[in-house]
Amino acid sequence: MTKDVQVGIILGSDSDLKTMSKAVEILTKFEVPYFITVGSAHRSPERVIQLVRRAEAENWQIIIAAAGMAAHLAGVIAAHTTKPVIGVPMESSGLGGLDALLSTVQMPGGIPVATMGIGSAGAKNAALFAVEILALSDPALKQKMLDYRREQTESIEKKAVKVEAGD
Amino acid sequence: MTKDVQVGIILGSDSDLKTMSKAVEILTKFEVPYFITVGSAHRSPERVIQLVRRAEAENWQIIIAAAGMAAHLAGVIAAHTTKPVIGVPMESSGLGGLDALLSTVQMPGGIPVATMGIGSAGAKNAALFAVEILALSDPALKQKMLDYRREQTESIEKKAVKVEAGD
Amino acid sequence: MTKDVQVGIILGSDSDLKTMSKAVEILTKFEVPYFITVGSAHRSPERVIQLVRRAEAENWQIIIAAAGMAAHLAGVIAAHTTKPVIGVPMESSGLGGLDALLSTVQMPGGIPVATMGIGSAGAKNAALFAVEILALSDPALKQKMLDYRREQTESIEKKAVKVEAGD
Amino acid sequence: MTKDVQVGIILGSDSDLKTMSKAVEILTKFEVPYFITVGSAHRSPERVIQLVRRAEAENWQIIIAAAGMAAHLAGVIAAHTTKPVIGVPMESSGLGGLDALLSTVQMPGGIPVATMGIGSAGAKNAALFAVEILALSDPALKQKMLDYRREQTESIEKKAVKVEAGD
Amino acid sequence: MTKDVQVGIILGSDSDLKTMSKAVEILTKFEVPYFITVGSAHRSPERVIQLVRRAEAENWQIIIAAAGMAAHLAGVIAAHTTKPVIGVPMESSGLGGLDALLSTVQMPGGIPVATMGIGSAGAKNAALFAVEILALSDPALKQKMLDYRREQTESIEKKAVKVEAGD
Amino acid sequence: MTKDVQVGIILGSDSDLKTMSKAVEILTKFEVPYFITVGSAHRSPERVIQLVRRAEAENWQIIIAAAGMAAHLAGVIAAHTTKPVIGVPMESSGLGGLDALLSTVQMPGGIPVATMGIGSAGAKNAALFAVEILALSDPALKQKMLDYRREQTESIEKKAVKVEAGD
Amino acid sequence: MTKDVQVGIILGSDSDLKTMSKAVEILTKFEVPYFITVGSAHRSPERVIQLVRRAEAENWQIIIAAAGMAAHLAGVIAAHTTKPVIGVPMESSGLGGLDALLSTVQMPGGIPVATMGIGSAGAKNAALFAVEILALSDPALKQKMLDYRREQTESIEKKAVKVEAGD
Amino acid sequence: MTKDVQVGIILGSDSDLKTMSKAVEILTKFEVPYFITVGSAHRSPERVIQLVRRAEAENWQIIIAAAGMAAHLAGVIAAHTTKPVIGVPMESSGLGGLDALLSTVQMPGGIPVATMGIGSAGAKNAALFAVEILALSDPALKQKMLDYRREQTESIEKKAVKVEAGD
């Protein structure tokens, strides 16, 4: 599966896997080849740099990084590549993920990280945003995204019918 | 300048212009055609939708939205397009921009907004992130970005020399 | 039940239904005709605008909007109508609803949203506030509200008796 | 001016007057008779109750209460009346108004306070929301509000033209 | 038990009883006559004022007020008496009691509320602080407090022995 | 002035003097003998303990402690005395005093600190609260406090007249 | 075990023992002699000072202090010694440990406390940081630390293999 | 000056120099050889790694890292060395340094960063903490630190005399 990877997902810890499975579901649904692995900015910094080199060598298009607490992973990756890096703050402390959010989003001018919301909503949106980028040069993928949006809207409408009916 | 626009910048208020000039500087430096205008999600909602339609019609690639307080602009735009939307929270209250940050980044699963940091650092990074996306299919732009990064690094090194010398 | 609707309740997600049932209970108790449905500002934006149009066409008096996270729903509705809009922030993340509160209440000058507290207390108060508005031109409803308040006070007094007695 | 008052504005402190002048401007523009005074929930509690009695006797429709810090004013007023009470949190400490916001909005179930944003945006919106309520039974006022909204939108469009032109 | 009351405890809601039982335990231990009841600043405002009048008539020395969310109870009581008022913020929302803390402690200059920590630690300390005040003119009570402190210190030392021994 | 001291004020730093002058004004107005000095819990811990011993020896009734940042002063004093200790959090960092507030108020069960609001309002209220305690056994002081409250209320009423008159 | 102690661990409460067992595990693994006990800055202040004297007499090198809420323990210890003091904020309230973090880290200039993260991650890191200090003058310990780091990195790599394989 | 360096200070930006001059003053006062330079974890990541290598080669004992916003610098350095790393969060946004504090202190278990307070107090304490570590194996330095502490205490006492005298 590591051939033709378009999106790399790097988890700061394997404990982030459950939350980030929401991103995997989206990429699978959109048939976007992805590679998912673990690499801690703090506990395995060389590995993270090697993963970035692999991203360059294998021509990944986008990197999604998920980390909690003092979440440096997305920023460290962004410092080593000019590919778009998407950061997803994990909720892994009593602070509700505020620490991870600020650590991910408040990047200094010069090195951008595209930050998503905390936790599983952010995980899902990270993958959708990656698809939106890829869809810029892939009309078939854009069509899939339009379909996805339409289905999403229809799903709301179905729920609305149920709520209106008092079910 | 509205011909061949690649990046649209929409300000929730003209008072955001000074902060967002950091984004304009970057796009100008990278010679990326852009269009900048004002459109409030709350005070001119139809205009925002028309701007999104124009983005589709004129084939803008990316939309950057800047707003403060209950910053809904990026989310509203993202709800109407599948193009990548980048949100920049403005600092316009005593809460230091925390209100705008949370209003921009905490999107529900399904509609992503790529959020940057609060204020001028976020403004600069929004433009850099847009360039990174465009560079995926534009090798010349990628080279410019690599040069920019190298110059940025060299600038740090020059400052380091000064600090080391006690200047 | 959609005839003669006086209060429309729009949920950003059907998962908000349980919390907002507190609002439904109040409107039922006061015999205020209401309509409840689902409409996401992000995932079904056209539907939200259609619901506002329906509110105008059917002459709803007040709209209550409940949403969590980057809660844009009340603001988006308020942008499309001059009817009073009441926003209820839902608690749906590790931030305890602070994100939804700030996203709902920190509206820019020009488009007001009357914001209630986070969660079920806010849900109940949203309905009570709607009744207070309707009671301005409905003396019978005002009397009911005065009765409700008196009963509420008596309920406190009964609880006080129990606590004083050590029960 | 105290005859035929429709909106009463009560300030927790005369130091709130400057911020609340934004509310006065709106009521003046819409020709809504108002009465503005000072009454501290803590330093003049009887006066606040008397003001509520006066509101009942003179048949004010709506009460706007502005207070900072542990902002109890709106809640105390709401506890003594079933008229709609709108609370505006003032920014008067190093906490940026977060204290006043939470003290105003987090009302227990049973006594609603319609809370606006912190500071001058909230002041303006409090008056606009009061007008929206009054407009429910006053078609001329509703028309004025529609005109106000249209002018507001046009103002955005004019600013947009300037920004687009690089002025 | 309402004869010779020295400390009155007023709960904003009977749901605060469990947390405030920590205060009752302390007053019982120190044999300080107390009276505990319920009185909501918002849902039974007249009752609160009557309780303050009763405090004056029966010559209570100190009033402890416990409330959550937009916790106005202690402030409202303090506004009506010059007796020392001690406020205990309850944790009753997703904000962890921060709302109740700020609503209780951030009183404007002129009307003091002695604020304790959030929840059961604050409940216990409210009673201990009341005892400290009463002990100023009651040497026997002061001795009891000194004994209490000594026992408390010894309890720590016993726990230390256990931890040191690895139990 | 150190003879017959009834209230001791201890500042964590001489930079707190300006803010705490609000407390001095109140004690002077009420003719309560006080002693004010500096003693840092961190930089002069023995001095703080000696000040507490002096308070015991000279029979001070109440101790007011003012400190900023990780404000331990009130807690350290309270740990060494059973006299009532009042803490005033100073605003001395970019966090607006939230650090000092939490460091002062969140005391563990067993050692109470009566916490006032952040900054000058808290300083004033600390002195007023001390007077309220002293007034429990001093009818003349109680009368002064009643007079103070009445004047305070009248001051509000005078300001109300001005605001009502549009001055 | 109290002979040759190199690291003293002082818990503000025996309830902190479970969290701080993470520190004990690390010191045990690195064969660093330690002493663990309980001493509350508020409830047993003399004991804390005696523990510091013992640290001096027995020549402990480093003191780790763990406390929650208004966590003064590390600061109080640091005020009485020039040995390195490491503070670990405990999560023991609805504020998620933010109170303990600010109370520990925001020390005034002059008395440093080396603060770790909230809870068990901080507990582990406190011990690791103590080992890093000791390793400055103990090459064997430094080698152990290098080995620990390598194993930690390898552990990440093993988890990465599992995640990559979809296990 | 780079010979025999014992403490290396790395600034994330040259704009941090003014704040960190407090650290330089302390090291100069204690005659501890230091090296100060600039190295951004994001804008010059290789340089940061080279600085860590230089620290190993030249046998620096301790590294102090100062950074603002999403302050990753200390964490990145700590990931590459087992020397003690001290982090100082800078205040460089409307969030008052809370972003930098959480980004520095909330390190995952395994890689410790000793975090100081936000801004200049933290800068001063970082240097003092470094001296405390060095003093463990340098009795002369320990004596200097004891003298420093004594002078600091005397300075408080002098200020106390002035405040007591009403100067």
Side-chain angles (χ1 to χ4, degrees), chain C residues 74 84-88 104-105 112-116 126 129, chain D residues 86 113-116 129:
Chain C
V85 175
I86 303 172
V88 188
T104 303
V105 79
V113 167
T115 305
M116 299 291 143
F129 191 73
Chain D
I86 303 171
V113 167
T115 305
M116 298 292 144
F129 191 73

Side-chain angles (χ1 to χ4, degrees), chain B residues 4-5 18 24 71-73 77-78 84 95 97-98 104 141 146 159:
Chain B
D4 295 310
V5 166
K18 195 180 162 193
V24 169
H72 300 190
L73 183 58
I77 292 170
L95 301 180
L98 185 65
T104 303
L141 200 58
L146 291 169
K159 286 171 180 169

Side-chain angles (χ1 to χ4, degrees), chain E residues 91 95-96 118 121 152-153 156-157 159-160 163-164, chain G residues 14 17 35-38 40 43-44 47 69 94-95:
Chain E
E91 183 184 340
L95 302 179
I118 298 165
Q152 183 171 252
T153 303
I156 299 284
E157 285 160 358
K159 286 170 180 170
V163 167
E164 291 177 18
Chain G
D14 62 332
L17 186 56
F35 176 67
I36 184 166
T37 189
V38 178
S40 164
R43 288 171 291 189
S44 63
R47 176 173 171 77
M69 301 177 75
L95 302 179

Side-chain angles (χ1 to χ4, degrees), chain B residues 11-14 17 35-40 42-47 50-51 54 69 93-95, chain D residues 91 94-98 101 117-118 121-122 124 149 152-153 156-157 159-161 163-165 167:
Chain B
L11 313 177
S13 162
D14 61 334
L17 186 57
F35 176 67
I36 184 165
T37 188
V38 179
S40 164
H42 297 121
R43 289 171 290 191
S44 62
E46 279 83 9
R47 176 174 171 76
Q50 285 166 357
L51 284 167
R54 179 168 167 181
M69 301 178 74
S93 78
L95 301 180
Chain D
E91 183 183 340
L95 301 180
L98 185 65
L101 171 57
I118 300 165
K124 185 178 182 182
R149 287 282 185 99
Q152 184 171 253
T153 303
I156 299 285
E157 284 160 358
K159 287 170 180 170
V161 169
V163 166
E164 290 177 18
D167 288 354

Side-chain angles (χ1 to χ4, degrees), chain F residues 123-141:
Chain F
K124 186 179 182 180
N125 280 346
L128 287 170
F129 192 73
V131 173
E132 286 184 352
I133 293 174
L134 296 171
L136 286 175
S137 57
D138 181 342
L141 200 58

Side-chain angles (χ1 to χ4, degrees), chain G:
Chain G
M1 191 184 291
T2 63
K3 195 86 181 306
D4 295 312
V5 166
Q6 291 200 279
V7 177
I9 303 175
I10 306 180
L11 313 177
S13 162
D14 62 332
S15 63
D16 302 329
L17 186 56
K18 196 181 162 192
T19 301
M20 290 307 291
S21 67
K22 297 288 180 189
V24 170
E25 282 170 24
I26 291 291
L27 296 178
T28 303
K29 181 181 184 74
F30 281 91
E31 294 174 90
V32 172
Y34 68 90
F35 176 67
I36 184 166
T37 189
V38 178
S40 164
H42 297 121
R43 288 171 291 189
S44 63
E46 279 83 9
R47 176 173 171 77
V48 170
I49 293 173
Q50 285 166 357
L51 285 167
V52 176
R53 285 200 191 117
R54 178 168 167 180
E56 299 284 349
E58 296 184 358
N59 204 25
W60 303 357
Q61 299 293 290
I62 296 153
I63 300 174
I64 295 173
M69 301 177 75
H72 300 189
L73 183 59
V76 164
I77 292 171
H80 286 89
T81 185
T82 62
K83 292 181 188 296
V85 176
I86 303 171
V88 188
M90 296 288 104
E91 183 183 340
S92 58
S93 77
L95 302 179
L98 185 66
D99 47 0
L101 171 57
L102 295 177
S103 299
T104 302
V105 78
Q106 283 291 77
M107 292 290 290
I111 304 292
V113 167
T115 304
M116 298 293 143
I118 299 164
S120 57
K124 185 178 182 181
N125 280 346
L128 288 170
F129 191 73
V131 174
E132 288 184 351
I133 293 175
L134 296 172
L136 285 175
S137 56
D138 181 343
L141 200 57
K142 173 152 190 179
Q143 188 55 50
K144 273 192 201 172
M145 180 57 84
L146 291 169
D147 294 347
Y148 175 82
R149 287 281 185 99
R150 200 191 55 244
E151 285 161 23
Q152 183 171 252
T153 302
E154 287 167 3
S155 163
I156 298 284
E157 284 160 358
K158 275 176 200 154
K159 287 171 180 170
V161 170
K162 279 197 178 175
V163 167
E164 291 177 18
D167 289 355

Side-chain angles (χ1 to χ4, degrees), chain F residues 6-10 51-52 55 60-65 77 81 83-87:
Chain F
Q6 291 200 279
V7 177
I9 303 175
I10 306 181
L51 284 167
V52 176
W60 304 358
Q61 300 294 291
I62 295 153
I63 300 174
I64 295 173
I77 292 170
T81 185
K83 294 180 186 296
V85 176
I86 302 171

Side-chain angles (χ1 to χ4, degrees), chain F residues 11-14 17 35-40 42-47 50-51 54 69 93-95, chain H residues 91 94-98 101 117-118 121-122 124 149 152-153 156-157 159-161 163-165 167:
Chain F
L11 313 177
S13 162
D14 62 333
L17 186 55
F35 175 68
I36 184 166
T37 189
V38 178
S40 163
H42 297 122
R43 287 170 293 189
S44 63
E46 279 83 8
R47 177 175 171 75
Q50 285 167 358
L51 284 167
R54 180 168 168 180
M69 302 176 74
S93 76
L95 301 179
Chain H
E91 182 184 341
L95 302 179
L98 185 65
L101 171 57
I118 300 164
K124 186 178 181 180
R149 287 280 185 100
Q152 184 171 252
T153 303
I156 299 284
E157 285 160 358
K159 286 171 180 169
V161 170
V163 166
E164 291 177 19
D167 288 355

